[in-house]
Amino acid sequence: MINSQKVLVTGITGQDGANMCEYLLRIPGYKIYGMVRRSSNPNFKNCEAFINNDRFQLVYGDLTDSTSLDNLVREIQPDYFINFAANSFVGCSWDMPQQVFNTNALGVINCLEAIKKFQPECRFYSAGSSEEFGDVDYFPQDMKHPIKPRSPYGAAKAAARHIVKVYRESYEMYAVHGILFNHEGTKRGEEFVTRKITKGVARIYHAIKNKKSFESIKLGNLNAKRDWSDSEDFVEGVWLMLNQDKPRDFVLASGQTHTIADFVNCAFAHAGIKGEWIEAGEDVHGQYVPIPQSAKFIHKETNKPLVEIDPKFFRPAEVNLLLGDPTEAITKLGWKPKIPFDKLVKKMVAWDINEAEKKADST
């Protein structure tokens, strides 16, 4: 390609990296370099739509290996460096805090150093998280909210936010750190609670359809409230952040909140499975009544449990409510989420039911 701009995207086997590659390849004039770590058994399922595209090239590197990042930036000379690579599962960050910090915080320093040394005009994006807000002071949260993480993951992302600001102000780099509230989709990893729910719903759907027994879905804190959006909406917001006259951090969010229990209710409803909460209390005069640990979500037709609470899935320190304020992204970036909560859940459930059907047909 002649005079094409080059974009280096990390974490392309994950949800956001893959969606960003697909988004950019729909725009003429960009050559995409997708970075992955070397592995004996890489999983490119999320990359199937673009892995063989003429404007895409697979490259190898690791956020924790500064030499590999130096080599990539020196050789590619990217115009944009979009970093979605991370240890992104909050729950496991208590089990491996040092590894999470090495990847999610020190890895960002390695990216910034490579850009500073070999391509200082490159525009850099660091993927932040609403988990940085943690023990929140007010609702909804905006960029002025104090940083108060309650997990090693949130602390690492907060450190990345600070170091991006330091490099931006010290070296006049175009470097931004987006605060992305919860975002999901059909490429979401199976260890995340939303995908665990939709895959579980698909499994139970096929068991009921074929008149077979099934195991319930085991979940932790069903009362946690999150601001959910679609990852495909967010990658557009990220690209807008990278193409402003001056670098600035933004919050991307829907501005609405739902509990894990709401996600469960919506997912089963879209699968046509009728369930009800037992021992869950009732919504009295608009006041939310927390679901106790003894509660179960029961299949109305068979009285079998569809969802049960397992204390082992509770976090050492829980973030009970996250609600983002996307006002500045809407007014200053011209960005707006297009896919509402209900449509997002419906899409994920339909995808996983179809995936389960294809798996059944192949066995």
Side-chain angles (χ1 to χ4, degrees):
M1 294 182 62
I2 300 174
N3 296 325
S4 64
Q5 289 197 300
K6 293 171 284 188
V7 186
L8 176 58
V9 182
T10 71
I12 64 160
T13 59
Q15 169 184 251
D16 294 349
N19 282 334
M20 177 57 78
C21 289
E22 290 184 23
Y23 175 79
L24 292 175
L25 287 168
R26 291 195 292 269
I27 306 173
Y30 293 97
K31 170 77 174 184
I32 315 303
Y33 296 84
M35 191 189 91
V36 296
R37 290 180 298 172
R38 286 201 178 272
S39 170
S40 59
N41 187 29
N43 184 352
F44 291 112
K45 182 171 179 57
N46 283 343
C47 308
E48 290 175 349
F50 59 85
I51 195 76
N52 294 317
N53 191 297
D54 290 340
R55 292 198 288 127
F56 175 83
Q57 182 175 329
L58 188 68
V59 295
Y60 293 95
D62 192 319
L63 291 188
T64 63
D65 179 5
S66 61
T67 301
S68 70
L69 294 177
D70 285 353
N71 290 338
L72 285 176
V73 173
R74 184 177 57 247
E75 293 167 8
I76 296 170
Q77 291 290 292
D79 298 284
Y80 299 88
F81 188 139
I82 303 175
N83 180 39
F84 282 125
N87 185 320
S88 57
F89 187 45
V90 178
C92 79
S93 69
W94 281 275
D95 299 325
M96 49 179 67
Q98 185 172 345
Q99 194 277 341
V100 168
F101 216 90
N102 285 342
T103 302
N104 296 1
L106 297 180
V108 172
I109 295 178
N110 290 336
C111 295
L112 290 164
E113 276 292 302
I115 292 170
K116 179 171 71 74
K117 289 185 288 187
F118 300 110
Q119 174 52 320
E121 298 303 312
C122 177
R123 296 189 171 203
F124 177 70
Y125 174 80
S126 165
S129 169
S130 56
E131 292 286 334
E132 296 170 41
F133 296 136
D135 189 15
V136 296
D137 289 345
Y138 59 82
F139 307 99
Q141 293 90 50
D142 53 22
M143 290 305 304
K144 297 182 180 69
H145 190 283
I147 297 175
K148 302 172 64 178
R150 285 174 62 83
S151 66
Y153 171 86
K157 287 292 186 179
R161 177 178 171 184
H162 283 305
I163 201 65
V164 167
K165 179 177 182 293
V166 168
Y167 272 68
R168 180 170 64 224
E169 296 176 353
S170 300
Y171 305 111
E172 297 184 352
M173 295 172 65
Y174 194 111
V176 295
H177 183 82
I179 305 296
L180 274 57
F181 277 68
N182 292 66
H183 48 289
E184 315 298 326
T186 57
K187 298 183 181 71
R188 179 51 105 181
E190 296 177 12
E191 69 274 20
F192 289 84
V193 66
T194 52
R195 194 73 192 285
K196 180 178 179 180
I197 292 169
T198 59
K199 284 185 69 68
V201 168
R203 171 176 54 79
I204 292 171
Y205 170 87
H206 284 284
I208 293 174
K209 178 181 177 181
N210 295 296
K211 297 181 180 180
K212 295 181 179 180
S213 61
F214 57 83
E215 294 289 328
S216 63
I217 304 171
K218 305 297 193 300
L219 299 174
N221 181 13
L222 292 164
N223 299 300
K225 296 181 180 180
R226 294 292 182 267
D227 183 332
W228 276 301
S229 298
D230 193 300
S231 169
E232 293 181 42
D233 281 343
F234 275 16
V235 296
E236 179 183 16
V238 168
W239 189 239
L240 288 169
M241 282 186 222
L242 281 166
N243 286 280
Q244 300 301 297
D245 291 336
K246 295 182 180 180
R248 179 176 176 177
D249 300 339
F250 285 92
V251 165
L252 296 185
S254 73
Q256 299 179 355
T257 188
H258 300 273
T259 65
I260 305 292
D262 291 336
F263 201 104
V264 168
N265 295 338
C266 190
F268 276 103
H270 282 304
I273 300 172
K274 295 180 179 180
E276 62 179 343
W277 289 101
I278 304 298
E279 299 180 21
E282 296 182 1
D283 188 337
V284 181
H285 304 302
Q287 298 298 312
Y288 179 73
V289 179
I291 294 176
Q293 290 192 32
S294 59
K296 296 180 181 180
F297 192 60
I298 301 296
H299 186 212
K300 285 186 176 181
E301 295 180 16
T302 63
N303 212 36
K304 293 180 179 179
L306 299 168
V307 174
E308 296 179 273
I309 298 173
D310 189 335
K312 77 178 183 180
F313 293 115
F314 281 74
R315 297 175 180 175
E318 182 61 81
V319 176
N320 291 313
L321 198 164
L322 290 171
L323 173 62
D325 182 357
T327 302
E328 288 200 339
I330 293 169
T331 58
K332 299 185 184 303
L333 291 178
W335 173 82
K336 187 177 181 180
K338 301 180 182 70
I339 303 172
F341 174 77
D342 183 74
K343 187 176 179 180
L344 167 65
V345 179
K346 182 179 181 180
K347 179 175 76 170
M348 292 176 68
V349 170
W351 175 273
D352 281 326
I353 286 176
N354 184 58
E355 288 292 295
E357 285 179 346
K358 289 194 294 186
K359 184 177 180 180
D361 290 342
S362 65
T363 58

